[in-house]
Structures are given as C-alpha cells and as structure tokens.
Amino acid sequence: QDVKLIRNFCIIAHIDHGKSTLADRLIEMTGSLTDREMSAQVLDNMDIERERGITIKAQTASMQYKAKDGNIYLLNLIDTPGHVDFSYEVSRSLAACEGALLVVDAAQGVEAQTVANVYLAVENDLEIIPVINKVDLPSADPERVMLQIEDELGIDASDAVPCSAKTGIGIEDILEAIVARIPAPADDNDKPLQALIFDSWFDSYLGAVSLIRVMAGTIRKNQRMQMMSTGKNFEVLQVCQLTPKPLETKQLSSGMVGIVSGSIKSVSETRVGDTITDPKNPAKAPLGGFQKAKQMVFGGIFPIDASEYQNLKDSLEKLQLNDASLTTEPESSQALGLGFRVGFLGLLHMDIIQERLEREYGLELIFTAPTVVYRVGLKDGTEHKIENPSKLPDPTTIEYIEEPYVAITIHTPEEFIGGILKILQEKRGIQKDMEYTTSNRVKISYELPMNEMIFDFHDKLKSISRGYASMDYEVIDYRQGDLVKVDTLVNGDKVDALALICHRVQAPFRGRSLCKKLKEILPRQMFQIALQAAIGGKIIARESISAMRKDVTAKCYGGDISRKRKLLEKQKEGKKRMKQIGNVEIPQKAFLAILKID
Ligand code: GDP
Ligand code: MG
C-alpha cells in the first residue's frame, strides 16, 4: 500500500449532531459494504448503544475511494467513543489519525462536547475539517454556526463543508476534502515496528483482539509481537482489515489500520494505548501517551438472592474479558451479604455495566449508590484510598480527608443561567469563568467536588434547562474538605450500604432528606419502623413509618377470589427487588435514594 494514498481520520461531534449517520453515509458512498450488510447504524454495534444513541466502543472501517484526481485512496475511518467517561480511549483513537471531521449541527451549533473534542484533536495535531451537518433542517443556520466555530473554537471555518448526512448533500465534498486536506501518514515503513493499540475486545474464537494503527514498520501474519508495557510475546495468528467486516490480509504496513489477534486470553494483555513491536527487531521506545485506566466511581453490586453470587462473579469476569477498565473486588456487607465493589471510569460506564449485568446475564441485583474515591490521611502518617463510605476509619484517627474535584464546562442558552448557577452554588462549586459565546448563549466554567456531580447533577441540569444545556467535565485534582460520614439506621440497625460521605455543613440536611426519602420508599410493615441518620453516635435526623393496620386483601369485598389472588401476586412481584435487613424489607430504590435527596 502506497502511504501517500492513505488517509486516517475520525469524526468528532457533540452527541446527536450526526456522527454515526455521517459515518454510515461515507461507508455507503464508498461501496465498502453491500446494502444487505448495511444495517441502520453499522458503527454502533451494541444493542444498548443503539438504544442510547451513543457510541460506546470504537469501531472502525477502511474504505476505498476513487477521488476526482483519479487515484484510489485508502480511507480509514476511526470511530471514537463519544462520552467523557471514555476520554482516554478518545485520545488514543485520535492519536491514530492525521485528521478529524468536526461535525456541528447546523441548527444546534457548538456544544460542550464539541469544544472538549476539539481540544483533544488540537492536542493531537490533527488537521480539522469543519463539517456543518443537517443543512436540510428548516431551522439550519450554517452562517451563524460558521461564525461560532471561528469565535468559540478558533478554527478557520471559511472552507467548512455544509452537508446533510440524512439526504446525502455534501458527502462527496467531504470525501474530496479528506483526500485534499488531511496529510498522508509519515512513511516509516523501514523503521522497527510500532503499532498503537487504540481499541481491543474479546472475541470468543480469536481471543483478545487489538485494533491497531501501524505507526512504523510492518506487522505480518505468523511473526511474533511484543506488548511493550508488559514485555509479553504472542504469535500473530490473524491480521485483518475492517471493511468494517474483518477481511483477512497478510500484513499491515506503516500508516495502515486493522486488527491483529494471537490467542490472547484477556484484554488486560491488549491495553488501549500500548505499543506492539517486533521482539526480533524491537523499537527503542513505546509510543507516548500510554496510561492505565483510572476508575473514578465505585459502587457495590449484590445479588438479591444469595445463591446467585457465583453467577454474578462469573458474569463480572466475562465482562472484564472485554473491558480492561472495569475493576472488581469481593465485598461483604452486613446489610446486603456477599457481593462486589466495582470500579468504573465514570457514571455512564457504570450505567452500561449495570444494565448489561441485568439484561445480558439476567441477574437480579441491588446496586448501592456510587461514590468517588477519597484519600484519607490518618494521624499515624498513613494514607488510604476509601472507595466505600461505610469503610471510612474512625473520625478520631483521621488527620485529613481529600476528595476529587472536576472542572466542568456548561453551554446554555442565557435564560437558564440563573437556575444553573444556583445548583452549582448548592453543590459547593467555585466559579471560574462565564462568557457569552453568541448573543444569547453562555459558557460557564466551574470547579466542583466530583462527589457533588454524582449527586444527581446531570439530571438537574437537564431539567432546569429543559434539555438545552450541555456539559463536559474532567477530573483535575484532589482537595481537602471538611467531610463526614452519615450513617443510616433502620430500627436501630446501621445499614452499611446506606452510609454516605458529605460535607459537614450539608450533613444535617442530607441526613434529614434521606430519612424523608426512605420514609416514602420503604413499604409499611406490621410494626413501626424508626429511621435515623447519625454522625458517629449523634443522631442528626429521624423519621418513623407507622405500622400497617390492614391486610391489603381487606380492600376486596371478601368474595372475589381472583382479584385477591391478583393483588397478592402483585405484592409478590413488588417483593422481588427487596432485601431483608433485620426484620425490615428494603427495596432497591432505597439504596439509590442517597442520590435523589434535595
Ligand atoms: P451521533 O450521536 O452524533 O452519532 O448522531 P446520530 O448520527 O445518531 O444522529 C442523531 C440524530 O440526528 C438522528 O436522529 C439522525 O437521524 C439525525 N440526523 C443525522 N444527520 C442528519 C441530517 O443531516 N439531517 C437531519 N435532518 N437529521 C440528521
Ligand atoms: Mg453515534
């Protein structure tokens, strides 16, 4: 393959601006797939993803395009995950490209993730081609969006390509722009092999598969490959190009993109960001930018039925085969029994895993509220990472507690500023910057404790702005805070899974709201239930649920048996998601109540 005729590019966009639709259209136009193989959205290949309309795992396609200059180009479209939880994966995908299509919705304009993605693309020295999508919409205003791209992003938009991924307008212009404006990869074919892994997954036949961009040298079938971060060696058993269906080939030379496999047992051996080299003629150094995944959010996962523990364990292991960024550790809770403490990259990652465990593995689970990782310094000079509020050491032994902070950027129409600033203040935010990006849109920059963001922030932002505000965040540092643990007691028993850590000032209020919320959620029993919140031995809030007087079936007028049975069945159904704690049954909802208090 002539390196001069290769173009490696990705598409970056805010969610829903049309990245997937454009990718489909490009693949379709270049005839890489037959119509029959072309499902609605080829690039989003997981079910959950399709339902949420976001791309979770990167998928890639190589296309051949005959340009107006008469040459046939090999275009490698590198799909990137579209959410901040996966920003490390995004950065590795970008490192595999020379250029990026920056898709902006012609009606919506620049949004928070547009900005975040542009920063990443600029950091990776990519040639950026602005594409203004959805010009078919009556509300499209390409001129305004062009100005916005120039003002807000500092990118020359004079040769932005207007298009409609839906109707096909402008698609050929985009292909021509890719060929003309994105540089060919460097010609490093005679150097020792360096291939960047920018995605990897587990395939039941091939084992762990690495999606690579060859940066230097050539990788061939049957040679040995070495992972530079671990020094481990494997035989290359298969080399494929993706069209996007895998198509076997003998080798991938410098500048090319494809997958390699070699009976590798787990994706923990094929880490995103790692460099593959040839052990017989190794590269002097790995490519830059390799990082191990950092779990930012932790939560407990417990089977409702204790006999399902082994199933849960097996299912988590299966998920880990495919996801090197998921960590698990056995956990035993007094309230919930045996389960796992699971580490996630962020809240979306957590949602996805929880959903898959229930949907694909059919498990009935209790999830505890997510928490950030605290750094706790003890008076004896040791420092500990605390991923579980109930494990916070005795306060009298603690010297300091540090919590992670995020820098958050919010884009919003101006009418919602007041409401948004109010939530940010309540959440202990520190204002950094606020500026008008157009005559009626504002960019707000804040720093706030990550813990506060987990508490329902995104939902609140969406509801207060009726969905018009968008946000993006990144973890910046750890800072000391006056933090305390609030325990929850149900009929005098401490429920470890309901413990939370918060700022001392907010503790009484949080304790009260949690008790109130639990009062709404817990079903009444034949006896009174006392709910209390406490810091150490001090009770800071209390509520009680009065005893149930009547049997539910008493409502039926004696005779109607079938109705009675239905009612009892309904009751049983409601019981499924409950956990018996002492003599009180606590439903799943209660464990997440911590997140919904205000
Ligand atoms: P992504 O989140 O960036 O991958 O966005 P999608 O490709 O999933 O598109 C989001 C929505 O916008 C879908 O409902 C698409 O059908 C729609 N869409 C994408 N491109 C266009 C376009 O050019 N015109 C119109 N009218 N709708 C589009
Ligand atoms: Mg998409």
Side-chain angles (χ1 to χ4, degrees):
Q1 175 69 45
D2 182 354
V3 175
K4 288 193 216 66
L5 298 178
I6 301 177
R7 297 291 182 272
N8 294 314
F9 70 102
C10 57
I11 306 177
I12 54 180
H14 186 76
I15 183 142
D16 281 346
H17 283 198
K19 187 172 90 165
S20 301
T21 312
L22 177 61
D24 287 352
R25 194 55 67 167
L26 292 174
I27 293 170
E28 195 185 73
M29 284 279 289
T30 53
S32 309
L33 284 177
T34 65
D35 286 344
R36 192 170 49 81
E37 288 163 331
M38 184 86 191
S39 67
Q41 296 212 329
V42 182
L43 291 183
D44 291 21
N45 65 354
M46 295 196 332
D47 267 3
I48 296 178
E49 219 175 306
R50 207 168 288 187
E51 272 169 36
R52 287 167 187 269
I54 45 170
T55 305
I56 296 158
K57 264 285 173 193
Q59 276 274 330
T60 287
S62 298
M63 304 168 260
Q64 292 208 317
Y65 173 62
K66 184 158 194 229
K68 288 189 178 143
D69 67 8
N71 291 315
I72 294 177
Y73 289 84
L74 174 65
L75 306 184
N76 295 312
L77 163 60
I78 288 164
D79 195 22
T80 57
H83 190 274
V84 288
D85 282 6
F86 306 105
S87 63
Y88 173 65
E89 274 86 348
V90 177
S91 81
R92 293 307 84 206
S93 303
L94 299 192
C97 303
E98 275 76 34
L101 301 179
L102 169 66
V103 174
V104 184
D105 185 316
Q108 299 285 317
V110 170
E111 295 278 356
Q113 286 157 23
T114 317
V115 184
N117 280 315
V118 165
Y119 287 156
L120 283 172
V122 170
E123 267 169 37
N124 281 286
D125 283 330
L126 300 191
E127 176 67 33
I128 297 173
I129 302 176
V131 169
I132 300 177
N133 187 33
K134 307 197 190 182
V135 292
D136 60 292
L137 290 177
S139 53
D141 188 352
E143 278 77 36
R144 180 185 71 96
V145 173
M146 258 168 75
L147 287 176
Q148 220 189 355
I149 291 175
E150 302 210 327
D151 288 352
E152 272 196 62
L153 306 172
I155 293 173
D156 179 7
S158 58
D159 45 9
V161 187
C163 87
S164 165
K166 191 171 172 184
T167 66
I169 300 170
I171 302 298
E172 197 171 359
D173 298 335
I174 293 175
L175 289 164
E176 286 296 321
I178 291 169
V179 165
R181 284 153 67 180
I182 295 175
D187 187 357
D188 285 329
N189 221 12
D190 44 3
K191 295 195 179 142
L193 174 64
Q194 276 179 319
L196 171 68
I197 303 180
F198 62 90
D199 194 8
S200 78
W201 61 88
F202 189 81
D203 180 285
S204 41
Y205 295 103
L206 303 175
V209 171
S210 308
L211 180 54
I212 58 166
R213 153 74 198 269
V214 183
M215 306 303 285
T218 297
I219 188 162
R220 297 183 177 81
K221 191 173 168 160
N222 298 329
Q223 78 168 83
R224 290 202 69 84
M225 59 176 162
Q226 182 168 42
M227 305 298 167
M228 292 189 85
S229 74
T230 60
K232 284 200 182 146
N233 267 264
F234 304 92
E235 187 181 353
V236 178
L237 293 178
Q238 235 181 0
V239 179
C240 299
Q241 276 185 289
L242 294 168
T243 64
K245 273 204 329 196
L247 184 72
E248 259 206 275
T249 168
K250 291 209 170 65
Q251 62 180 54
L252 295 171
S253 55
S254 182
M256 291 177 80
V257 169
I259 59 176
V260 293
S261 65
S263 318
I264 304 173
K265 294 226 164 55
S266 153
V267 287
S268 59
E269 310 280 8
T270 53
R271 298 255 175 189
V272 169
D274 203 353
T275 305
I276 294 176
T277 194
D278 177 357
K280 283 212 188 102
N281 177 23
K284 284 202 185 67
L287 300 160
F290 178 60
Q291 274 173 28
K292 272 201 164 167
K294 239 194 242 131
Q295 290 72 33
M296 297 310 303
V297 176
F298 285 77
I301 303 185
F302 298 86
I304 290 187
D305 180 350
S307 66
E308 289 253 61
Y309 176 80
Q310 191 59 39
N311 275 345
L312 172 60
K313 182 164 187 261
D314 295 345
S315 307
L316 282 168
E317 273 167 15
K318 269 191 212 135
L319 285 176
Q320 276 180 306
L321 281 180
N322 225 331
D323 185 347
S325 53
L326 189 67
T327 62
T328 63
E329 231 175 80
E331 178 176 358
S332 112
S333 154
Q334 280 158 2
L336 301 176
L338 289 181
F340 292 89
R341 181 118 296 238
V342 182
F344 308 96
L345 297 174
L347 291 171
L348 178 77
H349 188 213
M350 181 181 81
D351 275 0
I352 292 166
I353 297 296
Q354 292 184 343
E355 212 171 307
R356 293 189 66 184
L357 283 171
E358 297 199 312
R359 198 193 319 206
E360 290 170 34
Y361 297 92
L363 294 165
E364 293 219 334
L365 303 168
I366 296 254
F367 303 109
T368 66
T371 170
V372 299
V373 183
Y374 295 93
R375 285 188 195 150
V376 179
L378 297 184
K379 292 192 170 132
D380 66 9
T382 56
E383 196 179 81
H384 304 263
K385 282 201 176 122
I386 299 295
E387 298 155 0
N388 183 344
S390 73
K391 300 257 162 71
L392 193 72
D394 176 358
T396 59
T397 65
I398 295 175
E399 184 73 37
Y400 63 85
I401 306 180
E402 289 180 345
E403 60 179 333
Y405 267 69
V406 295
I408 185 166
T409 313
I410 296 168
H411 280 241
T412 178
E414 66 179 344
E415 63 256 45
F416 307 116
I417 298 175
I420 292 174
L421 293 184
K422 189 161 158 276
I423 329 177
L424 284 163
Q425 289 303 338
E426 283 167 11
K427 292 194 168 285
R428 297 190 281 139
I430 304 158
Q431 189 171 334
K432 284 289 154 185
D433 197 19
M434 188 159 93
E435 59 178 325
Y436 276 81
T437 56
T438 63
S439 62
N440 59 359
R441 285 183 65 85
V442 180
K443 182 175 108 182
I444 304 171
S445 306
Y446 256 75
E447 291 176 358
L448 84 167
M450 188 173 179
N451 179 35
E452 300 285 346
M453 205 180 62
I454 285 181
F455 276 86
D456 223 14
F457 183 77
H458 192 237
D459 289 350
K460 273 196 179 144
L461 180 70
K462 284 285 166 200
S463 75
I464 215 156
S465 69
R466 301 205 306 269
Y468 282 107
S470 62
M471 64 169 263
D472 199 64
Y473 69 90
E474 83 181 310
V475 178
I476 39 175
D477 54 13
Y478 268 77
R479 294 180 199 171
Q480 275 189 31
D482 188 8
L483 301 167
V484 291
K485 179 176 68 154
V486 178
D487 285 311
T488 304
L489 291 79
V490 176
N491 272 350
D493 291 330
K494 229 185 242 178
V495 181
D496 55 3
L498 285 174
L500 69 100
I501 291 175
C502 69
H503 198 268
R504 188 183 301 278
V505 175
Q506 291 175 336
F509 158 75
R510 284 259 160 91
R512 262 197 313 276
S513 332
L514 181 58
C515 287
K516 280 217 180 76
K517 198 87 203 174
L518 288 174
K519 184 177 173 175
E520 285 167 27
I521 292 173
L522 296 193
R524 294 166 100 197
Q525 318 261 338
M526 301 309 283
F527 45 84
Q528 178 173 317
I529 304 171
L531 300 167
Q532 296 166 308
I535 301 177
K538 196 172 143 232
I539 303 295
I540 54 169
R542 69 179 83 231
E543 288 285 342
S544 70
I545 303 175
S546 54
M548 188 160 52
R549 300 233 177 78
K550 288 182 256 177
D551 184 46
V552 266
T553 52
K555 276 195 211 114
C556 315
Y557 312 107
D560 192 347
I561 295 291
S562 75
R563 186 152 169 223
K564 209 174 214 169
R565 191 176 299 134
K566 244 190 214 148
L567 212 64
L568 284 171
E569 252 155 36
K570 220 170 170 187
Q571 225 183 4
K572 215 165 97 198
E573 188 63 21
K575 247 182 204 152
K576 267 194 187 155
R577 282 261 183 167
M578 304 249 210
K579 198 81 193 180
Q580 186 85 25
I581 289 173
N583 53 5
V584 180
E585 283 190 318
I586 302 191
Q588 156 75 53
K589 263 202 293 193
F591 297 99
L592 297 179
I594 294 175
L595 298 180
K596 302 275 177 202
I597 51 186
D598 49 12

